[in-house]
Amino acid sequence: MIFDARDLIAFPGGANYSDTVLAGIHFNLTTLEHWNYTLYSNGTLSNGSKCMIVSEAYAPKLLYPNGTFINATSCYSPVNPIGLRAKIGIGFAVAFGFLLMGCIMALRKHGRLFLPAERRFRPIGRRWQWYWGILTATAAVISLFMNIDVDRYYLPELPIVLTSFFWYLLQMCTMALVWEAIRHWGSWQERQYIDPNPFILSQDDRRAMFEFFIPLVFYLFLWLNFFMIVPRSWGKLEKQRDDDQTTRYAAPTATGIRPKIAAFFLLASWLITVGSLRHSIKNYMPRNRGIVNRVIGFVGATPPRFVLLLIFSLAMIAYQALCAWEFEWSVLKVKGDRAAIYLGGYTPSLLILIVQIFYGWVSPNEDRELIRQRRQRGVETDRDLGLVKKPAWWRRLNPDYVAGGESMRDRIARNVNEIGGGRATTRGIDASLANRATEVEAQQNQGLEMNSLARTASNATARSGYGAGSESYGGKSDRRRTERTLAVAAGMLFPSETSTPGVAERRRELMLDGPPPPYNPTGENQGRGRSRQGGGGRPSSNERSTSTGTTGSLSGAPQQVKSMLDI
């Protein structure tokens, strides 16, 4: 604790020369002088290492010969009531707290992916502005809540340092937020520009190189601002216990050469942000000819959100520069101007967050917007080609319609599972052939001993072209049903007497009707075939054999074609 000699006062007299009275309590003056205690005009008692309040309410009750006080209150205790600076700070802190929740909600909305991540446009690129928004709101809340202890501490100490430190972080995070918002807007314009044709812009031209290096330059100046502000001695900022101490120690620290240079670095970051905006408008917006038209086009193409962000951020930088030259209006001063502190120090960042969160609330997710644009381009292309999109009810009636969001791969897998499909194995093929041979042999042995119901079913099956071995399987084995289905299909495609016994049986049944009717060139008997019981008529169309086998034709008599109906 350092005070000027003009702040020292003499100990008041007591009962004798070795006695003094402080706040109505007698203390041994010899002991106080032995331990180098000094009384100051602000009501404190200190010996350089210890400081105690000696006012009426907080004066110590007893002093031991070893220099120890009983019931003493430290000078750096929050004993004062909340002042105007703390009350306004609480209101601002609550507002920044709500904005912090808004940034988190906006991050969740705009950070979600609905399209595959692209290497050219990484998801973290659009999230950075919300990350910086969260850091901005957090730094503001800490700095503003520290203002409570700035007012309540009897003598300034650590709270004013924490308030000032997080206020400088608030300025840097706000500038980074503005930069990321404008940079990402340019990236979003590029993404929309190349989405119809990914090869319309090269990735190694002058434009791409500019977009690669300009973020590095911006963050270089931002971190230079950080290194000018943060790595320095903050202890002298606490020495604002009286006016003379404030003038000698605190003011030179707050208005030194480092804060002045830091303000210029922050202004350079702002100019780089404007340059990035100009670059994005030049490359991804309609171009204008002439200097005047370019200026008009630049102003017209700039979103209103960025106009507000750039104005508020410039006001923030101007106030930081003002604090570097005028300590009276600075946030770093304990008894500084309250209106200047909150209007210049916190209001620009508050307004920037409000604008950003409002934008995040009204604007759609970029992936969803890109999907909408692709769908719109598809509709326009279909209109140009003359294609008409089917209504929703048509897709449900279409056999190829996939319901419930089921993919084609899932649908094929479901169909394979229903018919009992699986990986073919040698054991399965051998078992299928053995079962088929057993069934064929059993059907050949039955012959004419089948009952009338089985004969009727067999005849109907034979007339329909499936053969005798194609009775429908009524069991529960999917594997057996598959094997029977394959056997029927093979019999239909490759009929023979050995593999399909139904051919010989069908030939025998057809010969029971007798020979075909005689040829009549006048066509009187066409369509009037004799009945089956008559023995001489031609079978009707639904009774003729549809077999394409050739085995019987090689062993039997040549067939005489009477008319085209016999073929």
Side-chain angles (χ1 to χ4, degrees), residues 22-54:
L22 301 176
I25 301 175
H26 292 268
F27 294 97
N28 193 320
L29 182 58
T30 304
T31 304
L32 293 174
E33 293 176 348
H34 175 74
W35 295 104
N36 296 323
Y37 280 100
T38 305
L39 185 63
Y40 294 92
S41 58
N42 58 1
T44 60
L45 184 66
S46 175
N47 65 349
S49 61
K50 295 181 181 179
C51 181
M52 289 157 292
I53 303 174
V54 292

Side-chain angles (χ1 to χ4, degrees), residues 13 65 104 136 157 210 222 225 247 272 288 355 458 482 489:
I104 295 175
T136 299
E157 201 199 21
F210 180 85
L222 188 67
N225 175 270
T247 305
I272 294 172
N288 299 308
V355 172
S458 175
T482 304

Side-chain angles (χ1 to χ4, degrees), residues 428-446:
I429 295 175
D430 295 341
S432 176
L433 294 177
N435 293 335
R436 181 178 176 184
T438 303
E439 293 172 2
V440 171
E441 183 179 359
Q443 292 172 359
Q444 290 178 351
N445 293 335
Q446 287 180 1

Side-chain angles (χ1 to χ4, degrees), residues 90 205 213 340 361 467 470 491 499 528:
I90 291 174
D205 56 355
F213 285 106
W361 179 54
S470 62
S499 62
R528 296 182 301 172

Side-chain angles (χ1 to χ4, degrees), residues 134-386:
I134 292 173
L135 294 176
T136 299
T138 303
V141 169
I142 297 175
S143 177
L144 289 164
F145 274 121
M146 285 294 102
N147 280 321
I148 299 176
D149 286 337
V150 170
D151 277 356
R152 296 192 65 218
Y153 263 52
Y154 191 82
L155 293 180
E157 201 199 21
L158 185 60
I160 187 61
V161 174
L162 294 178
T163 296
S164 304
F165 176 79
F166 282 100
W167 177 75
Y168 277 114
L169 290 183
L170 167 66
Q171 309 289 295
M172 288 181 281
C173 292
T174 304
M175 193 65 243
L177 166 62
V178 176
W179 156 258
E180 285 295 338
I182 293 178
R183 182 209 58 81
H184 173 65
W185 179 79
S187 177
W188 168 236
Q189 299 304 315
E190 179 187 3
R191 188 180 183 188
Q192 296 178 91
Y193 188 80
I194 69 171
D195 188 64
N197 183 10
F199 305 102
I200 194 172
L201 293 177
S202 177
Q203 299 187 33
D204 55 356
D205 56 355
R206 183 177 179 181
R207 173 199 58 84
M209 292 297 101
F210 180 85
E211 294 177 356
F212 176 79
F213 285 106
I214 191 171
L216 303 179
V217 178
F218 170 82
Y219 282 108
L220 172 63
F221 282 99
L222 188 67
W223 286 113
L224 286 175
N225 175 270
F226 175 83
F227 288 123
M228 287 290 105
I229 293 296
V230 174
R232 60 170 176 163
S233 176
W234 292 85
K236 293 183 179 180
L237 195 62
E238 301 175 4
K239 296 178 173 58
Q240 303 183 43
R241 286 126 191 178
D242 60 5
D243 294 339
D244 183 71
Q245 194 181 61
T246 301
T247 305
R248 292 176 58 186
Y249 299 101
T253 302
T255 59
I257 187 62
R258 295 172 68 96
K260 292 181 175 65
I261 297 177
F264 281 106
F265 284 149
L266 203 62
L267 179 61
S269 301
W270 185 87
L271 294 175
I272 294 172
T273 304
V274 176
S276 176
L277 178 62
R278 175 69 183 92
H279 168 81
S280 300
I281 293 176
K282 176 183 177 181
N283 288 276
Y284 309 120
M285 293 293 177
R287 298 186 178 183
N288 299 308
R289 298 288 183 178
I291 298 177
V292 178
N293 291 333
R294 288 181 181 179
V295 173
I296 296 175
F298 173 73
V299 175
T302 302
R305 173 170 67 109
F306 295 152
V307 175
L308 296 176
L309 293 184
L310 291 175
I311 292 175
F312 295 150
S313 59
L314 185 61
M316 176 191 69
I317 296 171
Y319 178 75
Q320 182 172 339
L322 179 64
C323 293
W325 269 272
E326 294 293 336
F327 185 65
E328 184 66 27
W329 295 342
S330 175
V331 176
L332 284 65
K333 186 176 182 180
V334 176
K335 303 298 182 181
D337 191 311
R338 272 66 171 174
I341 290 175
Y342 286 104
L343 289 179
Y346 296 96
T347 302
S349 300
L350 181 71
L351 295 177
I352 288 173
L353 283 178
I354 291 175
V355 172
Q356 273 292 102
I357 292 174
F358 180 76
Y359 157 76
W361 179 54
V362 299
S363 62
N365 180 278
E366 293 180 4
D367 283 356
R368 290 182 180 273
E369 176 63 17
L370 207 60
I371 293 172
R372 186 195 65 81
Q373 294 179 9
R374 292 176 180 177
R375 186 183 299 113
Q376 184 177 1
R377 288 197 301 269
V379 171
E380 294 176 356
T381 303
D382 293 343
R383 186 185 301 112
D384 295 340
L385 296 176

